[in-house]
Amino acid sequence: MDPSQSGSTAAETRPSGHLISRDVVHEIEPIQTGYRWVLAYNLINHSPGPPRSASALDAQISQFTEALTRWQNLQDEPHYLAYPLDHQYTDRDLKLARLKGGDFYQARHAAQSCEAHCKYYMLLGNMEMCLTNQNTEDEMEDEAVLQLDRIVDPQGFDLLIHSTRTISTTNLLHGQSYEDRVPDTQRGGNYLGNQYAEIDQFFKDSTLIIVPCHWILNFLLGSSFTLDSLARLTTKLRGFIGQAGDSSFRGLLLQVCQSILGRDYAKDEHRDLFLGPVAVSAAFLKKSDLFHTIASNIKGSFDLNHYSALGGLICFDDPSVQEDDLNTAITKCGKIYRIHENINAFRDGFFEGHPTGRTNCNVLYQGVRIFIEHFHDNNLLINPLLVELLSQSNHQGPSKIYLETLLRKIVESAVSNFNLCQYATYTATRTPPNQSEASSRSRGQEGSAISRKLAGPVKAFYEYTSTCQQDLPAQLLQRIQATASELTAEQSNGFLISFLSELIPVADTSFNEAQTCIRALITLYIIRTVGHEPKKPTDWTRLEEMYTGSHDNDISRTNTFLKDPETSYYALGNESIYDLKFSFHDFKYFDFEQKGYWGPIAGVTKTNKWWEEQYSNWQSRGEGALGAIKTLPQDRLKECLGDEYDMVMDLRMVKIVDDAVVDDAIQGDNEEKADGSSVPQKRRRGNSE
């Protein structure tokens, strides 16, 4: 500044300076006049003596790696070691390039040694020691907690997933003395009237950390980490690779993946979930061999988020993993509903990772074509694939012709591999459960629409096969009949009638295959839904009421009585009363004789109540099944069933063959209703009441 221009004296304009360390908290007051210049310098202490030669540094690195090898060979090796640095660093400055003086040379020396050894990582961290002074009546007790609130690699990339990571003071290479040190912050210590409150003193340090490669996962996440923590770590590492492209992050991510593969899991489903982030990382790193290992180890499915992430990474023109391994990862669980969810998640991720796929029809068609060509021979997926193509091709739009072309590619495989059970399972995933239940109750316009959803596009499929090869419809009917027995009882009850209501109107009833198939489905429906008629007991054996929970002599005598086909009445002793009450459904199927209103049970008489209940339930199921069958097109049903139509409507395939027994049961039931008796007439043999 020129004093002559401002009229000031030389003393007034004499510059002044202050030297302030950058890592010390300080305050600068605002200036009143003039200008402030702030110059920052890194001060280097040049120690006396000649500079170290490259050979001397190499020798030190060799000594350091030998020490790491001795560490590696220890029987109880420490899981990590921390070496406090001389200076404190802010989170922004915690990186190798910004360390000062001896900290820089020590950290660089350790990093080069770990890299040369290949079995250790060098990290940097900011740690905080919390000393709590607890005032008791007798003495003061100190509690110490040491935590890392930042962990970075030498480049400064943050690797800490949780807010803090607690470490042990026994893993510090040299102990820190806090007795004569002023804490960085302090809280508590207020006087409470008779003593002082606890005092928490916080001491902050920066530290160099060395961790064995095989322990890096547990060091970063803890020994009991969650799936979410693992997913966040692998996502962060993949992001660092994208930013820095450094090979060290690739090695770190691979080490994390290998650690997950080498862990033991209590349940297969736990292992499958934790393999999800590893599979995504393998696809990201284009490690097809690692992905193959994952596909070989999985028993079920990943989390859906990881299928979505896979979809965003896979490019079908140049896939980073083998297509067979990807197929295995999606379908290994063997459950249609879950495979459906996996494919949908993969598709959503594919569109998110390839945004042009939603607007560019060529990209979309190419993806669908590759998907179809890859999965059309998969026996497990052919039925869901068929349902999806048929359902989508029913909608008018520019894709209709293209989808029909794809359908023609798989139609032969779809017919030869058609499985009615898998088909029913998949169509159920497309129909809400409440609608599935309503379809069996409602037969109006709304109920018919629900029934069509539950039956799936079987009508469109049969009609489509009729336009292809001449023998395809007959082959389809044969496959339907051959796989119908695999249906569960629930599917037989809720799905078969809806399926028949769509198939019967379009099936050519002149085909012997059509008649045989529909007859078999009707018979299966009645047997599975109604069940065989319960036979009326002809003696007094009551094995269904056997009690095996005790070896008491009285219970054994009671069981002997229950197995006796000739005896209907049994006189009891007082000691058996409570066992019988709790063992035989409170005498639901027995008549009992009691001494007085509150007296003990004197005897038990066998009845036919158990059979009556079973027979009544059977009749109700039969009425419901016939009502459902009557909703089918009766004229075409008669053409298929022929002379067996009357037998079906009479439920003869589930009735007892001896008509005399059936008629006697029905007659006895009518007589019971006529005379108002609660117990039907019984034919007793042997001892009677």
Side-chain angles (χ1 to χ4, degrees):
M1 179 179 291
D2 187 358
S4 62
Q5 296 180 0
S6 60
S8 302
T9 64
E12 292 174 337
T13 59
R14 184 173 62 237
S16 62
H18 299 278
L19 182 62
I20 303 172
S21 179
R22 292 198 314 168
D23 53 4
V24 174
V25 178
H26 58 275
E27 182 179 359
I28 300 177
E29 298 291 339
I31 63 174
Q32 302 299 321
T33 60
Y35 301 92
R36 173 180 287 121
W37 288 358
V38 179
L39 303 178
Y41 296 92
N42 282 327
L43 303 180
I44 302 176
N45 179 19
H46 292 283
S47 59
R52 298 174 181 176
S53 65
S55 60
L57 293 176
D58 291 340
Q60 288 186 346
I61 291 177
S62 177
Q63 294 175 3
F64 201 120
T65 55
E66 290 178 1
L68 293 176
T69 301
R70 291 194 296 271
W71 175 3
Q72 181 184 1
N73 295 331
L74 291 175
Q75 184 175 1
D76 296 322
E77 61 168 344
H79 296 156
Y80 57 90
L81 290 176
Y83 181 84
L85 300 175
D86 294 335
H87 298 82
Q88 295 181 8
Y89 299 92
T90 63
D91 290 347
R92 188 183 66 175
D93 288 339
L94 189 63
K95 61 181 66 175
L96 179 60
R98 294 195 178 184
L99 298 185
K100 304 174 184 177
D103 292 344
F104 171 77
Y105 291 105
Q106 291 172 353
R108 186 180 67 174
H109 182 68
Q112 291 175 341
S113 300
C114 290
E115 184 177 357
H117 191 277
C118 300
K119 295 296 180 66
Y120 289 87
Y121 292 107
M122 195 284 288
L123 306 174
L124 299 172
N126 277 336
M127 66 181 183
E128 180 181 75
M129 170 67 80
C130 176
L131 291 179
T132 301
N133 297 321
Q134 296 180 337
N135 292 320
T136 64
E137 296 180 357
D138 300 328
E139 58 183 5
M140 293 185 63
E141 298 179 357
D142 293 342
E143 288 186 0
V145 178
L146 185 60
Q147 291 184 325
L148 291 167
D149 53 24
R150 189 168 180 84
I151 303 174
V152 301
D153 82 311
Q155 299 182 71
F157 287 94
D158 182 22
L159 299 175
L160 190 63
I161 298 300
H162 306 292
S163 58
T164 59
R165 170 71 165 92
T166 302
I167 62 175
S168 173
T169 55
T170 59
N171 291 84
L172 293 177
L173 276 177
H174 67 76
Q176 291 283 79
S177 177
Y178 299 101
E179 294 181 358
D180 301 327
R181 178 176 166 182
V182 178
D184 294 284
T185 57
Q186 179 175 308
R187 67 187 179 196
N190 300 324
Y191 187 66
L192 301 179
N194 56 351
Q195 65 179 22
Y196 286 93
E198 293 180 350
I199 301 175
D200 293 329
Q201 295 179 330
F202 299 92
F203 303 86
K204 296 182 180 296
D205 291 288
S206 297
T207 183
L208 179 154
I209 309 167
I210 300 177
V211 187
C213 291
H214 67 270
W215 194 256
I216 189 66
L217 178 62
N218 285 6
F219 177 76
L220 295 176
L221 299 182
S223 57
S224 301
F225 55 87
T226 63
L227 175 63
D228 178 68
S229 299
L230 176 63
R232 288 166 57 192
L233 175 62
T234 53
T235 301
K236 178 176 284 191
L237 292 177
R238 294 195 298 270
F240 290 161
I241 295 174
Q243 295 176 35
D246 192 90
S247 60
S248 62
F249 287 121
R250 297 180 65 88
L252 181 56
L253 182 56
L254 279 173
Q255 180 60 55
V256 169
C257 294
Q258 293 296 339
S259 298
I260 292 298
L261 285 171
R263 287 171 65 90
D264 293 327
Y265 300 91
K267 298 181 179 179
D268 289 342
E269 52 264 32
H270 293 166
R271 180 189 58 247
D272 295 339
L273 291 175
F274 279 90
L275 287 179
V278 182
V280 176
S281 299
F284 175 83
L285 297 172
K286 297 185 177 181
K287 290 288 186 178
S288 59
D289 55 341
L290 177 60
F291 195 91
H292 176 75
T293 302
I294 297 167
S296 301
N297 280 273
I298 190 174
K299 303 296 183 183
S301 293
F302 308 140
D303 183 81
L304 292 178
N305 291 329
H306 298 130
Y307 284 110
S308 179
L310 280 174
L313 293 173
I314 298 299
C315 175
F316 284 108
D317 288 336
D318 183 22
S320 57
V321 300
Q322 295 295 324
E323 293 182 355
D324 289 341
D325 293 333
L326 180 62
N327 177 21
T328 300
I330 293 176
T331 64
K332 189 67 171 289
C333 64
K335 299 178 180 178
I336 295 297
Y337 79 92
R338 187 57 200 266
I339 294 175
H340 179 218
E341 293 177 345
N342 297 346
I343 292 176
N344 282 340
F346 183 90
R347 178 200 60 193
D348 293 341
F350 179 83
F351 282 137
E352 186 175 349
H354 308 79
T356 58
R358 291 187 180 276
T359 56
N360 189 331
C361 290
N362 291 330
V363 174
L364 177 60
Y365 289 167
Q366 183 184 19
V368 174
R369 176 184 56 78
I370 295 173
F371 187 84
I372 295 295
E373 291 178 353
H374 182 70
F375 289 109
H376 84 279
D377 286 332
N378 186 291
N379 294 341
L380 190 62
L381 287 180
I382 190 64
N383 289 279
L385 193 58
L386 169 69
V387 173
E388 289 294 337
L389 284 177
L390 286 170
S391 300
Q392 297 300 325
S393 61
N394 282 336
H395 303 298
Q396 296 296 328
S399 300
K400 181 178 176 62
I401 298 177
Y402 178 74
L403 293 176
E404 289 179 347
T405 302
L406 294 177
L407 183 60
R408 189 171 295 276
K409 290 178 176 292
I410 72 164
V411 63
E412 292 185 22
S413 177
V415 170
S416 60
N417 293 284
F418 187 85
N419 185 289
L420 188 59
C421 181
Q422 294 179 3
Y423 176 89
T425 301
Y426 187 73
T427 56
T429 64
R430 300 172 55 87
T431 307
N434 58 337
Q435 291 190 4
S436 300
E437 296 173 2
S439 66
S440 61
R441 297 191 303 265
S442 175
R443 292 298 167 183
Q445 184 175 358
E446 181 180 357
S448 299
I450 296 173
S451 179
R452 285 193 296 272
K453 288 183 179 180
L454 184 60
V458 61
K459 179 179 179 180
F461 185 37
Y462 185 87
E463 291 177 335
Y464 186 80
T465 59
S466 302
T467 64
C468 301
Q469 299 179 20
Q470 185 176 1
D471 59 342
L472 276 184
Q475 292 181 26
L476 175 60
L477 292 170
Q478 291 172 351
R479 287 295 303 169
I480 292 174
Q481 179 182 349
T483 58
S485 60
E486 299 178 21
L487 292 172
T488 65
E490 182 179 359
Q491 290 173 328
S492 301
N493 185 28
F495 165 78
L496 265 182
I497 288 297
S498 298
F499 184 82
L500 285 167
S501 66
E502 293 293 299
L503 178 63
I504 291 177
V506 295
D508 188 347
T509 55
S510 63
F511 280 3
N512 180 60
E513 291 83 0
Q515 299 173 7
T516 304
C517 175
I518 293 174
R519 186 184 306 117
L521 293 183
I522 288 290
T523 302
L524 178 68
Y525 170 73
I526 293 175
I527 293 176
R528 292 282 183 85
T529 304
V530 182
H532 291 283
E533 177 187 5
K535 188 175 182 179
K536 185 176 182 180
T538 57
D539 55 39
W540 293 115
T541 305
R542 294 294 182 265
L543 295 178
E544 68 277 357
E545 284 298 319
M546 291 291 294
Y547 174 60
T548 59
S550 172
H551 297 290
D552 183 88
N553 290 333
D554 295 302
I555 296 300
S556 298
R557 289 193 297 109
T558 305
N559 281 339
T560 301
F561 157 69
L562 293 172
K563 292 188 292 184
D564 188 348
E566 303 294 334
T567 305
S568 63
Y569 178 79
Y570 179 42
L572 300 175
N574 293 341
E575 64 274 14
S576 301
I577 295 172
Y578 295 104
D579 282 325
L580 284 173
K581 281 189 175 181
F582 290 102
S583 304
F584 298 108
H585 312 291
D586 293 330
F587 297 94
K588 181 178 180 180
Y589 302 124
F590 298 93
D591 289 340
F592 61 92
E593 178 184 356
Q594 194 165 4
K595 295 179 180 179
Y597 189 75
W598 294 103
I601 299 174
V604 176
T605 302
K606 297 175 184 175
T607 70
N608 278 335
K609 291 180 181 179
W610 180 86
W611 173 82
E612 293 167 12
E613 182 178 290
Q614 301 302 313
Y615 187 79
S616 177
N617 294 337
W618 177 81
Q619 284 184 314
S620 298
R621 293 193 301 270
E623 292 172 358
L626 289 178
I629 293 174
K630 290 178 181 178
T631 63
L632 301 175
Q634 295 299 297
D635 292 340
R636 295 186 64 84
L637 183 61
K638 290 179 180 179
E639 293 177 6
C640 293
L641 298 181
D643 296 338
E644 296 183 11
Y645 177 81
D646 292 336
M647 183 188 72
V648 168
M649 301 308 291
D650 192 35
L651 303 179
R652 293 180 192 173
M653 68 281 294
V654 292
K655 286 187 176 181
I656 295 175
V657 177
D658 186 358
D659 292 335
V661 177
V662 177
D663 295 339
D664 180 63
I666 299 174
Q667 181 179 359
D669 183 64
N670 294 333
E671 292 175 357
E672 172 192 349
K673 296 178 181 179
D675 60 17
S677 174
S678 60
V679 181
Q681 300 296 321
K682 311 178 186 63
R683 295 173 295 176
R684 300 182 178 177
R685 295 183 297 178
N687 298 336
S688 60
E689 299 180 56

